[in-house]
Amino acid sequence: MKAQRSRADQNLEWADMPYLLSVCEAGSLAGAARMLGVNHSTVFRRIEAVEARLGVRLFERLARGYVMTPAGERFYERAILLCQGMDEIEREIGGRDLRLEGPLTVTTTDSLLHCLAPVFSQFQQANPDVELRLLSDVQALDVMQRNADIALRPTNTPPEHWIGRKLSALSFATYAHQDYWKNTQDEEPETFHWVMLGDDLNQSPMSKITLRCKHERAKTTVLNTMMSVFEMVNAGLGIAAMPCYLGEKHEQLVRVHNPDDSANWHLWLLAHPDVRRSARVNAFYDFATKHITDDVLGTP
């Protein structure tokens, strides 16, 4: 008893279409081969394979050539409509991603959005037909779910399957508001108040610097975003470790401890591989590479 063929075995492949249509229109293997610029034996093998896969004869092999059977005529009618549909898709959609228009979703951190807002603004003004969508998100990138086209992230472990480049090395230091530091710098370190970014495993550069610099008896306030840490430090609450691109850009903050770049973090510009060839993505890549410099980031 013969095994029943699976549905996948019966599927017609798009690559077979030119061979089938050429035989329908030329009425012979030789004519189809000339149209396609291939050997007539190649056309023969394709036709035989398709008919075997579909389990139906599309052509009668006559002395005067290949003549379509009723099934072949039906196939030809449907194939022409299908090809016309594909042509319409290419006309309407083809090249759309080559134009600087449409949505572009960029995910970044709240602190980078705060510091790089002028860069994003300049890009939007230079490309008014691009709908820039900015996501300020502290969560890890999900490469399986394409929730963004581009990511601009500080990290030492960029996602393996994203395509990217390093824009700048990052340093971290501790900062306090100038008034707070003026009033407390001569006191004992255990009296300093610290503001800390929540990190259960204490693996971030900010957490490591805080634990290294903070007196074990010093009081701590913990927050869940970098910008909330900045706001509390800027309000005069205490000392905090933060990226230098954030601390150095505000004159009212003073550096308490020297910068530390031992974490080997960099600012990464990353693109999802599905959209790397998009004109919008390439335009942002070029713009960000040119405008996000050490000077803009306030690197000490």
Side-chain angles (χ1 to χ4, degrees), residues 111-130:
S111 58
L112 279 170
L113 183 57
H114 173 80
C115 292
L116 297 178
V119 175
F120 289 117
S121 176
Q122 292 167 23
F123 175 81
Q124 182 67 93
Q125 292 175 35
N127 301 278
D129 292 329
V130 174

Side-chain angles (χ1 to χ4, degrees), residues 269-286:
L269 179 64
L270 302 159
H272 194 285
D274 288 353
V275 297
R276 182 61 182 91
R277 295 180 184 274
S278 162
R280 300 186 299 276
V281 170
N282 281 310
F284 188 87
Y285 250 65
D286 293 341

Side-chain angles (χ1 to χ4, degrees), residues 111-254:
S111 58
L112 279 170
L113 183 57
H114 173 80
C115 292
L116 297 178
V119 175
F120 289 117
S121 176
Q122 292 167 23
F123 175 81
Q124 182 67 93
Q125 292 175 35
N127 301 278
D129 292 329
V130 174
E131 182 183 296
L132 187 59
R133 301 175 180 179
L134 298 174
L135 303 178
S136 178
D137 190 358
V138 297
Q139 301 300 318
L141 291 176
D142 186 347
V143 298
M144 300 305 293
Q145 297 180 7
R146 208 190 86 194
N147 50 15
D149 302 314
I150 292 177
L152 192 60
R153 292 297 181 94
T155 182
N156 62 350
T157 55
E160 181 178 340
H161 300 296
W162 284 58
I163 301 170
R165 65 179 64 159
K166 297 177 183 178
L167 294 183
S168 177
L170 298 180
S171 298
F172 302 84
T174 59
Y175 296 87
H177 191 279
Q178 56 189 5
D179 294 339
Y180 174 88
W181 190 236
K182 179 180 179 180
N183 294 329
T184 60
Q185 60 182 321
D186 295 328
E187 298 180 7
E188 295 298 321
E190 64 187 78
T191 66
F192 297 162
H193 193 94
W194 284 79
V195 183
M196 187 174 179
L197 181 66
D199 178 7
D200 292 339
L201 300 178
N202 294 323
Q203 293 300 305
S204 71
M206 289 78 72
S207 295
K208 292 179 178 179
I209 292 173
T210 300
L211 294 177
R212 184 168 66 247
C213 297
K214 183 179 79 71
H215 193 281
E216 61 181 4
R217 290 197 295 272
K219 305 297 183 182
T220 304
T221 298
V222 180
L223 298 108
N224 71 331
T225 68
M226 194 69 253
M227 283 309 298
S228 60
V229 170
F230 164 78
E231 293 294 348
M232 295 306 291
V233 170
N234 196 42
L237 179 60
I239 306 169
M242 64 181 69
C244 293
Y245 65 72
L246 183 58
E248 297 293 327
K249 290 185 74 70
H250 297 276
E251 294 181 356
Q252 69 274 22
L253 299 186
V254 295

